[in-house]
Amino acid sequence: MIAAGESHEALEPRVCGLGLASGFGMGVEAHLSGVREGRRVLKPLGELWGEGHPWSSVLSGWIPDRKLLCSRRNGPASQLALLLARQAVEDAGWGREELKDAALIVGSSRGNASGWLSPWPGRRSMKILAVPNSLHSELASCISIELGIHGPYHVLASGCAAGLDAVGMAAMLMRQGIARRALAVGLDLPLCRELLGTYWASGMLSRNGVNDPYGPSADGMCISEGGAAVALEMSSGSGIYVKDYLVNSDAYSPLGMPEDGESMAALLDSALRSWDGKTPLTVCPHASGTAGNAVSERTALKRVFGICLPDLRMMKPWTGHAIGGSGILELALMLAFIREGALPPNPPWVSSLEGEFSSPEELPQHGRRMLIKSAASMGGHNVVLTLAVDQ
């Protein structure tokens, strides 16, 4: 905690460490190389589960090394949260002294549901830990215990926006002077038969496997495993800084999204108030691939930007939709490239808002840039996070 009377007005939350997991594998390098090689991680689920279930032909992405997710003590999602946290902490160069008073925020839509709705393949769990394994709070408690974090921890379950909320809430705690450092983690492991069945019945899953959110052939989202961790510390000078964390609700429907995109547009408008209009601007939208989001988000972007659309970068076509881990995973993927002096390319098969194909090339990053990342959750929860890049 920042001591009473200690000035921290010139300090802001700076990104100092990243951890990533998806169909590309584990770690920053696996994601950088996977995108640059143009790898397609989505495969028929029959390759993971074998044939003989209703969704063997559904395209999805999963973390390749399944043994990493097996722990006798931790549920599978908690184990992934711990692996992501360790990546970000190592990347940040934090030791036990830096971790001791850090804040910890974890976001997940489904928590360890994949480990208790049905058995996790290859895991020999400890029966005495069955109760904590089924709690969302285990996602944070296992990180706290294993890394020796004695600061506050919180778990968010705000649907598909949970991971991005975790970053915003972590930065907010730091700005309030509660912690000098914070670790934000977001993830989901939605590939179990019970969960997949509910998504399939809702009509939200893609039947044709076209992972092109604004394209004319998109017929739903391509659900996948994944997550990320972002380490933050109060700092000044050059770097990547979390600026605005903006949230609201549609108050519209438990399932659909309003076609007018008004609530998301309001957040984008608020975010742009801190933009000088000259600094290059990049927007990474939610872009889930569902029909409702495509209409609502398209309308929101056009309400705010009109025909002068900013540079758009869509990351779900690379990784698939990691549900509660999607927002932070896409953000971390963007930041991994930005740290190397570029913005990641859009996949070559992705359509822009106007219908033509987006540029599948890295965009060199020089000087200052403003980055906006948005997320939207079933039930109408909207998030916009802005970051200032100056390196």
Side-chain angles (χ1 to χ4, degrees):
M1 185 171 182
I2 296 175
E6 184 178 354
S7 175
H8 61 279
E9 292 181 359
L11 304 179
E12 293 188 284
R14 179 177 65 87
V15 175
C16 58
L18 299 174
L20 296 93
S22 73
F24 286 123
M26 300 287 289
V28 171
E29 290 305 318
H31 286 75
L32 290 172
S33 61
V35 168
R36 284 175 171 150
E37 293 166 8
R39 285 176 50 205
R40 294 196 181 217
V41 301
L42 300 186
K43 305 172 185 177
L45 269 171
E47 294 186 20
L48 177 65
W49 290 343
E51 300 301 324
H53 65 83
W55 307 288
S56 60
S57 62
V58 172
L59 292 187
S60 185
W62 54 87
I63 296 166
D65 191 345
R66 311 306 288 166
K67 293 180 181 178
L68 291 174
L69 305 179
C70 290
S71 165
R72 293 208 69 195
R73 182 173 183 174
N74 305 319
S78 298
Q79 180 67 8
L80 177 57
L82 177 60
L83 295 174
L84 290 167
R86 283 176 171 160
Q87 284 183 47
V89 166
E90 181 180 358
D91 192 30
W94 292 352
R96 296 195 74 85
E97 190 61 31
E98 287 84 5
L99 282 167
K100 183 173 62 176
D101 297 325
L104 172 63
I105 311 291
V106 182
S108 179
S109 174
R110 303 300 180 190
N112 279 307
S114 290
W116 57 268
L117 284 179
S118 58
W120 189 262
R123 182 182 183 226
R124 295 174 59 244
S125 58
M126 299 172 69
K127 292 183 179 179
I128 195 172
L129 294 176
V131 171
N133 284 170
S134 69
L135 297 174
H136 267 49
S137 59
E138 192 200 58
L139 298 170
S141 68
C142 80
I143 298 174
S144 171
I145 293 165
E146 294 293 333
L147 299 187
I149 297 176
H150 293 270
Y153 76 63
H154 300 279
V155 177
L156 307 173
S158 48
C160 298
L164 200 61
D165 273 321
V167 180
M169 293 289 282
M172 189 167 69
L173 288 177
M174 295 169 70
R175 290 184 184 279
Q176 290 177 332
I178 293 173
R180 289 179 179 273
R181 298 175 182 85
L183 186 60
V185 183
L187 67 142
D188 261 319
L189 298 174
L191 302 185
C192 74
R193 290 164 174 78
E194 292 82 357
L195 285 179
L196 211 65
T198 63
Y199 281 109
W200 184 265
S202 73
M204 289 184 292
L205 282 189
S206 173
R207 263 64 171 173
N208 62 14
V210 175
N211 197 0
D212 181 12
Y214 300 136
S217 299
D219 68 342
M221 62 184 182
C222 295
I223 197 169
S224 299
E225 294 179 343
V230 176
L232 302 169
E233 61 185 9
M234 295 299 280
S235 184
S236 61
S238 61
I240 303 169
Y241 287 85
V242 178
K243 305 295 282 188
D244 299 315
Y245 169 52
L246 306 164
V247 292
N248 67 16
S249 300
D250 292 330
Y252 174 76
S253 165
L255 187 64
M257 297 179 175
E259 294 186 359
D260 60 15
E262 184 176 352
S263 295
M264 180 60 76
L267 296 184
L268 293 170
D269 271 327
S270 296
L272 292 179
R273 289 173 193 161
S274 61
W275 182 55
D276 60 14
K278 298 178 182 178
T279 300
L281 174 68
T282 291
V283 177
C284 179
H286 184 59
S288 68
T290 61
N293 178 251
V295 172
S296 183
E297 192 165 61
R298 187 192 304 267
T299 304
L301 289 168
K302 290 188 174 181
R303 284 178 73 131
V304 175
F305 298 104
I307 61 173
C308 300
L309 291 172
D311 174 61
L312 293 179
R313 302 279 150 168
M314 286 168 276
M315 297 294 102
K316 283 186 182 69
W318 285 120
T319 64
H321 191 343
I323 313 302
S326 61
I328 190 173
L329 173 59
E330 294 156 50
L331 176 65
L333 184 54
M334 295 279 291
L335 298 184
F337 273 85
I338 287 172
R339 294 198 309 187
E340 293 210 342
L343 288 170
N346 283 307
W349 59 88
V350 167
S351 305
S352 74
L353 274 179
E354 303 300 336
E356 70 273 8
F357 283 102
S358 299
S359 173
E361 297 178 355
E362 291 184 34
L363 178 66
Q365 164 57 38
H366 301 295
R368 185 174 176 82
R369 176 174 292 271
M370 183 173 175
L371 172 63
I372 293 179
K373 176 73 190 94
S374 64
S377 295
M378 190 187 309
H381 176 72
N382 303 302
V383 179
V384 163
L385 196 72
T386 69
L387 298 96
V389 179
D390 190 2
Q391 55 183 34

